[in-house]
């Protein structure tokens, strides 16, 4: 199976609700270590914790990347 060159990445620009979630195209990591694997993800979902972080209601500290 051929490895794709780009991947779709969702990033949270700010914690002002779901409108702050942005879609980006980024290169697929090419440097994979000897004890690493690259996994293809076909579906994702948000859970309540994700909702709480996006709406600034999560009661614990969250690191921004």
């Amino acid at each position: 199976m051929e490895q794709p060159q780009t991947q779709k990445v969702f990033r949270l620009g700010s914690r002002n609700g779901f409108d702050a979630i942005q879609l980006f195209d980024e290169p697929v990591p090419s440097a994979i270590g000897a004890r690493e694997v690259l996994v293809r993800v076909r579906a994702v979902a948000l859970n309540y914790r994700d909702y709480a972080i996006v709406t600034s209601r999560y009661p614990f500290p969250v690191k921004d990347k």
Side-chain angles (χ1 to χ4, degrees):
M1 179 182 296
E2 185 176 324
Q3 179 177 331
Q5 299 299 312
T6 61
Q7 61 184 348
K8 302 230 182 274
V9 178
F10 289 95
R11 299 210 184 274
L12 182 60
S14 65
R15 294 190 195 132
N16 296 328
F18 287 100
D19 291 337
I21 297 175
Q22 300 172 341
L23 176 63
F24 296 95
D25 282 325
E26 295 184 359
V28 173
S30 58
I32 298 174
R35 296 179 182 258
E36 296 178 330
V37 296
L38 185 61
V39 177
R40 174 180 271 170
V41 177
R42 294 185 181 250
V44 297
L46 296 177
N47 59 35
Y48 183 77
R49 179 181 179 269
D50 300 322
Y51 169 78
I53 291 171
V54 168
T55 57
S56 296
R57 295 180 182 166
Y58 193 63
F60 304 105
V62 178
K63 289 184 181 179
D64 291 329
K65 289 188 178 182

